[in-house]
Amino acid sequence: MSWNHKIILVFVLSFILHTVTNASPHADPQRNRHRHRPSAGVVEPVVIPSTTTIVQGGGRGGGGNGGNSEPTAVPDTGTNIGKRGLAYNSSSPPLDVFSDTKITWVHDWYSLRLDAPSGFEFVPTLWGDQPPHSDNWAQNAAGHEYLMSFNEPDIVSQADMTVGDAVAAYSRLMFPLRSNKVKIGAPSVSSGSGNNERGIPMGTGWLDQFLNQCNDPNTCVADFVSGHWYGCPNGACTVQADVDSFTDYVSDLIATAAGRDVWIPEFQRFGDVAGQMDFLDKVLPALDGNAAVKRYAYFMVVDGIMTTNGRVNGLGAAFAG
């Protein structure tokens, strides 16, 4: 091989190594899509592995990743905690644009807080029971009052867990963190019904079985339940049809919760902005007035949904209040 060829080969290998090493795990907002959601116009949450580094000092350069240091938990100083929260990830603009609204808490489908104003309470999530999600979970969860668990275990493309496996993992990873000062949530189920392709129950059917099996005060307890809801694909239903569907789902969650608090950390109507704003205008007063519903978050803070060019748009303002 000639010297020139060697130089070219070294350059190519160096470029490939740089690309692989620095590739952001958040670069594609369509990764790990929820199977039950249409793709048109929807930006899905990104599953964030524990190897992600957080830019210290509040910087968002490089999509929220920077340096080579290990992630560091950020203590919460949030006050006046209310119901409305924000679902966000590294593709979201800075959340300080939602300051001075009804927003009081945030979650990012991960156990460490991405950039968010310290005045917002952060709620960690144990997305799944395997590494990297379970890596450093107890350490990352320390100091937080509420902890959410497995993301849509009733969906194959998400946490994908049988009820029995979830109960065992929850007892091992979640229950030891519970105390008088720390409340832990049952896995966040979808709004599906029947069984999925693996024959596993979906939606509140899955949740009901989980709560029946997770009922030992010494090994497995859920302080609150959590559910996700999405409207008709592409806004094919009328606004009122989606309102009725969402209302029925919330009622099912409350009934299944059997006295536990209810969280809805993901919900969204599809379709045009006017229809989504009409939907929110109809459901938000009901959520705020329902004592059983403690927290909820619209999907999600990202340009094209709740923000435009990094600023709160009409839909974001309608939700944030």
Side-chain angles (χ1 to χ4, degrees):
M1 180 182 298
S2 70
W3 177 249
N4 287 338
H5 285 167
K6 289 181 180 180
I7 293 176
I8 293 173
L9 178 60
V10 169
F11 175 82
V12 171
L13 290 175
S14 298
F15 176 80
I16 294 173
L17 179 60
H18 174 80
T19 301
V20 172
T21 302
N22 292 282
S24 169
H26 321 302
D28 181 4
Q30 303 296 323
R31 292 180 60 205
N32 298 294
R33 300 190 56 79
H34 289 209
R35 182 183 53 80
H36 62 302
R37 300 180 201 164
S39 59
V42 182
V43 182
E44 298 294 349
V46 178
V47 178
I48 307 170
S50 64
T51 53
T52 298
T53 54
I54 308 300
V55 176
Q56 302 303 312
R60 290 188 61 82
N65 302 328
N68 296 312
S69 60
E70 290 299 316
T72 302
V74 180
D76 283 315
T77 59
T79 58
N80 189 31
I81 301 304
K83 292 189 176 186
R84 296 189 194 184
L86 299 176
Y88 77 111
N89 62 20
S90 63
S91 55
S92 303
L95 300 187
D96 55 5
V97 295
F98 287 94
S99 298
D100 301 320
T101 68
K102 293 182 180 180
I103 301 301
T104 59
W105 68 282
V106 298
H107 78 92
D108 60 9
W109 294 275
Y110 185 46
S111 61
L112 285 178
R113 165 188 205 129
L114 295 172
D115 270 354
S118 61
F120 292 152
E121 180 194 18
F122 173 69
V123 178
T125 301
L126 177 61
W127 192 94
D129 66 326
Q130 300 296 318
H133 310 294
S134 58
D135 291 340
N136 303 315
W137 162 244
Q139 174 185 335
N140 296 346
H144 298 280
E145 183 178 357
Y146 297 97
L147 304 174
M148 291 194 290
S149 65
F150 316 133
N151 186 78
E152 298 181 356
D154 53 329
I155 296 203
V156 171
S157 63
Q158 297 301 299
D160 187 23
M161 304 170 74
T162 66
V163 172
D165 287 344
V167 170
Y170 185 95
S171 299
R172 174 171 53 89
L173 297 169
M174 294 292 295
F175 185 78
L177 306 181
R178 184 175 184 259
S179 71
N180 291 334
K181 296 182 179 180
V182 179
K183 292 179 170 54
I184 57 176
S188 297
V189 295
S190 74
S191 54
S193 60
N195 295 336
N196 66 21
E197 53 266 50
R198 291 186 57 201
I200 297 172
M202 299 187 70
T204 54
W206 191 102
L207 178 61
D208 184 58
Q209 290 190 21
F210 177 88
L211 294 176
N212 285 336
Q213 295 181 37
C214 181
N215 61 0
D216 186 335
N218 297 312
T219 60
C220 194
V221 171
D223 295 303
F224 61 93
V225 304
S226 177
H228 301 167
W229 177 91
Y230 288 85
C232 286
N234 303 312
C237 297
T238 64
V239 171
Q240 189 57 50
D242 270 344
V243 169
D244 292 342
S245 172
F246 179 69
T247 301
D248 288 345
Y249 180 64
V250 173
S251 296
D252 286 345
L253 276 176
I254 293 172
T256 305
R260 299 172 182 84
D261 291 343
V262 170
W263 289 34
I264 310 168
E266 282 186 48
F267 74 103
Q268 183 189 23
R269 169 184 158 79
F270 296 120
D272 59 40
V273 172
Q276 292 187 62
M277 293 181 69
D278 188 16
F279 171 81
L280 288 177
D281 185 59
K282 289 178 167 63
V283 303
L284 292 184
L287 292 174
D288 287 336
N290 193 324
V293 177
K294 298 302 181 183
R295 297 196 179 185
Y296 58 84
Y298 199 66
F299 182 89
M300 65 173 281
V301 180
V302 70
D303 276 0
I305 301 183
M306 294 178 67
T307 57
T308 301
N309 296 325
R311 298 183 178 182
V312 180
N313 57 25
L315 180 62
F319 177 77

